[in-house]
Amino acid sequence: MKRRDKKTLEILLGRLGLIYGIIVSVVNYFGFLIPTTGKMPVRHTEEFSQWLLFMDEYTRFINFVSIFAFIVPIVFCVIYVTVFKEEQVKRRIINLPLVYSLIASLGWWLSFLMEFFFVLFFKQRTNASISNILLSSFLNISQECLFISTFTFLCLDAIHRKLILPKYFPEGYLTKEKGAIKLSTRILFLFFYVSVNIFPIFYLTSTIYNLSFNYNFKVDGSVYFVLSVIFVFGLVIVLTFSNYFSNPLNKLRNATEMIKNSEYDQKVDVVSCDDFGELADNFNEMAKSLDLKTKKIFAIQDSVIKGMAVMVESRDNSTGGHIYRTSDCVKIFMDELRNHAEYGCLGEHFCNSVIKAAPMHDLGKIAVDDAILRKPGRFTDEEYLIMQKHSAEGARIVENVLSEVDDLQFKQIAINVAHYHHEKWDGSGYPEKISGEQIPLEARIMALADVFDALVSKRCYKDNLSYDKAFSIIEDSLGTHFDPQLGKIFISCRPKLEDLYNAYSK
């Protein structure tokens, strides 16, 4: 990590420490407001009456104990965000919600320890039993701590995982950070279980015990209010709990579905130092590995296909380069098509598939005899019929070559390009003599690029035509040979196509 990054994280840790510290103080204050039923009876046992009298005599000390419960967490929070080595800053940010939630209740346990010694001192002045007093105090402190620690964790962790971690650690892999505390799913379940179940149980137990300890009592409305708050609190926790687990699982499920459909460039945006974060990191590594391997396979596949196409082209009577020129021509055409509203819906995958399929359009010529394929003059009618068979033969070869390819859309596009790129808009083409929009879009696109290259390229039996002449022929053929709408857009690509072919001629 660069020094500048460390400085940024140190500033972040300080700011988070302040904000989270305020949240801890607020939650502690609300915890202090939770009523204890020990103060509700009208009459008490003699033993408890002696205790209340003693406590009234030392209210200043009791106030100090309460303040102590607030001061101690603040002190420890300040220590946590200020006293550390440089290499610890990242892990301290990651661990902040868990550590602060534990620190939040620390003051209450220390105040209970002080009260324990205070009660022992009280024992020296009276014969009253202190076991009931200590148990009552323990139950009250426990409910305070359970409420404070779990509620603090839920608040801080929600902020942390939604705002802080994705922004400052978008690369993830937090569980691999040395010293970072990984929260297992079991611990997360424990937090939520305590919030929804254990805290209410402790509160009710404390209530029942205090009421039984003070045999003549009345319960005021604050108890019912707190029970209502606990119910609402539990409901909020359950909803939070479901989102906590369902959101990352939904992201993982959706990404898995995409990979199942051969879309391997997936990344699950779950940044957290728990089982879900670790699972997302492992998933992203797997997806990245699959994507790289798939791209390598596709690259090898493309090389093999282009190699086959070049090999076929070497037997033709062209001057060479037809495969590469038509592929570049198709790419320029596809880029222009997507700028037009009527073709703006063409997906990136479709466009890339047409570009990848372009080199395969003449593979069927491998089955044509050299005497015909390399003939310098015009074909006889019989030779022309034999030559026409290369389209259907090309479709068969492409289907066999791509038989193991998982991408069904690309496979079908490649077959269509090979099979139908000599069909004409008016139905006079070959091999099926289909017309209009019966001809697959990808084949109509390929037809324009194929004919244009044939017009402007030199062959052994003809010289190349000028750009003006070539585009004039294409314009005159709109509605007969070519799709008129596509043809107009192709003609609008003229400046880029001229630049392309001028570069090839250098």
Side-chain angles (χ1 to χ4, degrees):
M1 186 184 297
K2 297 180 181 179
R3 179 167 296 276
R4 184 180 64 179
D5 296 334
K6 285 185 176 180
K7 189 66 177 177
T8 300
L9 292 182
E10 288 177 5
I11 295 172
L12 173 65
L13 179 60
R15 290 176 178 175
L16 287 178
L18 176 61
I19 296 170
Y20 287 4
I22 292 173
I23 295 174
V24 168
S25 299
V26 171
V27 175
N28 258 297
Y29 176 74
F30 279 109
F32 183 73
L33 293 180
I34 297 176
T36 55
T37 53
K39 298 178 181 179
M40 299 176 190
V42 176
R43 292 176 53 198
H44 305 289
T45 61
E46 181 180 350
E47 177 183 310
F48 198 78
S49 297
Q50 291 182 26
W51 166 247
L52 291 178
L53 288 172
F54 180 73
M55 296 293 277
D56 289 338
E57 293 177 12
Y58 293 91
T59 53
R60 185 176 300 176
F61 176 77
I62 298 304
N63 290 334
F64 173 75
V65 170
S66 300
I67 294 173
F68 189 72
F70 281 94
I71 297 299
V72 169
I74 294 174
V75 171
F76 276 93
C77 286
V78 171
I79 293 174
Y80 182 78
V81 298
T82 56
V83 182
F84 58 86
K85 298 179 181 178
E86 284 189 355
E87 65 273 10
Q88 296 177 338
V89 60
K90 184 176 179 180
R91 78 180 70 158
R92 294 216 175 188
I93 293 175
I94 296 171
N95 296 335
L96 204 55
L98 179 63
V99 173
Y100 266 35
S101 64
L102 297 176
I103 290 176
S105 61
L106 183 61
W108 291 96
W109 288 116
L110 291 177
S111 65
F112 173 73
L113 186 62
M114 293 176 62
E115 188 173 335
F116 174 79
F117 288 110
F118 187 55
V119 171
L120 288 181
F121 174 70
F122 165 69
K123 174 66 175 174
Q124 305 301 318
R125 298 181 51 185
T126 179
N127 293 325
S129 172
I130 64 172
S131 59
N132 290 332
I133 296 172
L134 289 177
L135 181 57
S136 175
S137 180
F138 173 79
L139 291 172
N140 290 332
I141 292 293
S142 296
Q143 71 181 22
E144 303 279 359
C145 292
L146 286 172
F147 170 79
I148 291 166
S149 60
T150 55
F151 193 71
T152 300
F153 175 77
L154 293 173
C155 291
L156 301 187
D157 189 66
I159 298 172
H160 222 52
R161 68 167 45 231
K162 289 183 181 296
L163 301 178
I164 305 303
L165 297 181
K167 179 178 180 180
Y168 291 94
F169 308 106
E171 70 281 359
Y173 300 99
L174 302 185
T175 57
K176 298 185 183 299
E177 179 70 21
K178 185 178 180 181
I181 303 174
K182 175 192 165 186
L183 294 176
S184 67
T185 307
R186 181 176 298 178
I187 292 177
L188 293 174
F189 267 106
L190 183 62
F191 265 106
F192 289 112
Y193 180 75
V194 166
S195 301
V196 178
N197 292 285
I198 303 301
F199 169 66
I201 290 173
F202 258 93
Y203 183 81
L204 292 174
T205 302
S206 176
T207 301
I208 293 170
Y209 182 81
N210 281 318
L211 294 180
S212 64
F213 182 32
N214 307 283
Y215 60 89
N216 193 357
F217 61 88
K218 70 175 181 179
V219 179
D220 61 25
S222 62
V223 175
Y224 298 111
F225 171 76
V226 171
L227 290 175
S228 300
V229 170
I230 290 173
F231 173 77
V232 175
F233 176 68
L235 187 61
V236 171
I237 297 303
V238 168
L239 294 176
T240 304
F241 176 85
S242 62
N243 290 329
Y244 199 104
F245 288 84
S246 63
N247 287 345
L249 289 176
N250 285 336
K251 290 181 179 180
L252 286 164
R253 182 176 63 249
N254 293 337
T256 303
E257 285 293 326
M258 299 294 283
I259 285 183
K260 189 172 71 173
N261 294 326
S262 302
E263 298 182 33
Y264 301 110
D265 55 337
Q266 302 299 313
K267 187 176 187 300
V268 177
D269 296 322
V270 176
V271 183
S272 57
C273 194
D274 53 28
D275 284 342
F276 292 114
E278 185 178 36
L279 183 60
D281 293 337
N282 292 337
F283 178 91
N284 291 336
E285 285 186 352
M286 178 198 71
K288 184 178 179 180
S289 177
L290 283 173
D291 192 38
L292 289 174
K293 290 179 179 178
T294 302
K295 286 178 179 176
K296 286 182 179 179
I297 292 172
F298 284 161
I300 294 171
Q301 181 189 88
D302 291 344
S303 297
V304 171
I305 291 171
K306 284 184 178 179
M308 290 178 63
V310 171
M311 180 182 68
V312 172
E313 186 183 51
S314 67
R315 298 176 58 239
D316 204 345
N317 55 6
S318 67
T319 56
H322 175 70
I323 297 300
Y324 297 102
R325 291 194 303 270
T326 51
S327 295
D328 290 340
C329 186
V330 167
K331 185 178 186 305
I332 290 173
F333 191 15
M334 295 303 301
D335 290 341
E336 183 62 29
L337 279 179
R338 297 188 70 181
N339 293 329
H340 290 258
E342 58 268 39
Y343 296 104
C345 60
L346 296 179
E348 184 177 355
H349 183 258
F350 174 84
C351 295
N352 290 336
S353 295
V354 176
I355 295 169
K356 284 176 60 179
M360 293 182 263
H361 71 280
D362 275 340
L363 277 184
K365 288 183 178 180
I366 198 171
V368 179
D369 189 86
D370 279 351
I372 299 174
L373 193 64
R374 302 178 69 84
K375 184 177 179 178
R378 292 178 64 85
F379 296 132
T380 65
D381 291 342
E382 183 180 353
E383 289 170 339
Y384 187 57
L385 289 174
I386 294 174
M387 188 65 177
Q388 287 180 354
K389 294 180 180 179
H390 84 274
S391 296
E393 184 63 21
R396 186 188 65 81
I397 292 172
V398 170
E399 186 172 12
N400 288 336
V401 170
L402 303 181
S403 60
E404 298 301 320
V405 174
D406 293 331
D407 192 340
L408 298 180
Q409 185 183 18
F410 167 64
K411 186 189 299 186
Q412 190 58 55
I413 287 172
I415 292 171
N416 289 342
V417 164
H419 199 175
Y420 301 111
H421 71 282
H422 283 296
E423 298 287 357
K424 295 183 179 181
W425 185 257
D426 62 3
S428 63
Y430 64 87
E432 306 295 337
K433 295 191 179 300
I434 56 178
S435 63
E437 293 188 355
Q438 290 178 318
I439 307 169
L441 176 61
E442 53 267 29
R444 285 178 268 151
I445 292 170
M446 189 70 233
L448 283 157
D450 189 37
V451 171
F452 176 76
D453 183 74
L455 292 173
V456 299
S457 300
K458 185 178 180 179
R459 301 289 171 87
C460 61
Y461 58 87
K462 76 170 190 70
D463 204 352
N464 60 303
L465 301 179
S466 66
Y467 294 129
D468 287 338
K469 183 62 175 177
F471 280 108
S472 176
I473 291 173
I474 290 176
E475 187 173 11
D476 291 342
S477 301
L478 298 183
T480 54
H481 190 155
F482 305 114
D483 178 336
Q485 191 172 10
L486 282 178
K488 289 178 182 177
I489 298 174
F490 184 83
I491 292 172
S492 71
C493 298
R494 177 171 177 170
K496 293 181 180 178
L497 290 173
E498 288 187 10
D499 290 341
L500 171 68
Y501 278 81
N502 289 336
Y504 271 118
S505 64
K506 290 180 180 179

